[in-house]
Amino acid sequence: MVDPTVAAYGTPVTLTPADAETLYVYTVFEAAADDVVHVWADTADGNEDADLSVSLMGVDGEEIESDDDDWYGRNALIRRVVLPEAGLYLVRVSESFRDEPLLGPVNVTV
């Protein structure tokens, strides 16, 4: 069972992998219908070997958008997504190579 950290707009949250085998870290945020969001994930410890991917999952659990290091360096940024409905949205962060464990803590900003 996943018990994700709750994020607030504009406030970064640091997500730490549970152990050396952790493939994903998660956070959720509450949004209103038609909110426009950016979701940014970067390494919290400056690890230059990390290559992050981020996915935004909708209220229904379906993926809305994803990005694999589209922005500065190897960080991931989803830009200007109009959210379709009110509720809790899930952000999932992983290494770009999905079968590789995360290399360290990750900052996520919505």
Side-chain angles (χ1 to χ4, degrees):
M1 177 178 191
V2 174
D3 189 17
T5 302
V6 177
Y9 285 157
T11 303
V13 294
T14 300
L15 307 173
T16 303
D19 57 40
E21 301 300 316
T22 300
L23 298 178
Y24 302 99
V25 289
Y26 305 89
T27 188
V28 295
F29 64 95
E30 189 163 358
D34 299 323
D35 279 1
V36 178
V37 298
H38 309 282
V39 181
W40 181 29
D42 68 331
T43 58
D45 60 2
N47 185 338
E48 293 183 18
D49 292 329
D51 187 6
L52 299 177
S53 180
V54 65
S55 297
L56 175 61
M57 314 301 275
V59 173
D60 60 3
E62 296 294 319
E63 184 176 81
I64 295 173
E65 186 85 28
S66 66
D67 183 72
D68 180 9
D69 58 53
D70 182 355
W71 199 51
Y72 180 77
R74 294 182 177 191
N75 299 318
L77 173 65
I78 298 172
R79 300 175 200 166
R80 297 180 295 277
V81 175
V82 179
L83 301 177
E85 59 188 300
L88 284 177
Y89 287 80
L90 180 93
V91 175
R92 179 182 68 200
V93 180
S94 65
E95 281 290 323
S96 290
F97 305 102
R98 305 235 188 245
D99 57 344
E100 294 292 322
L102 286 161
L103 299 175
V106 174
N107 291 323
V108 174
T109 306
V110 178

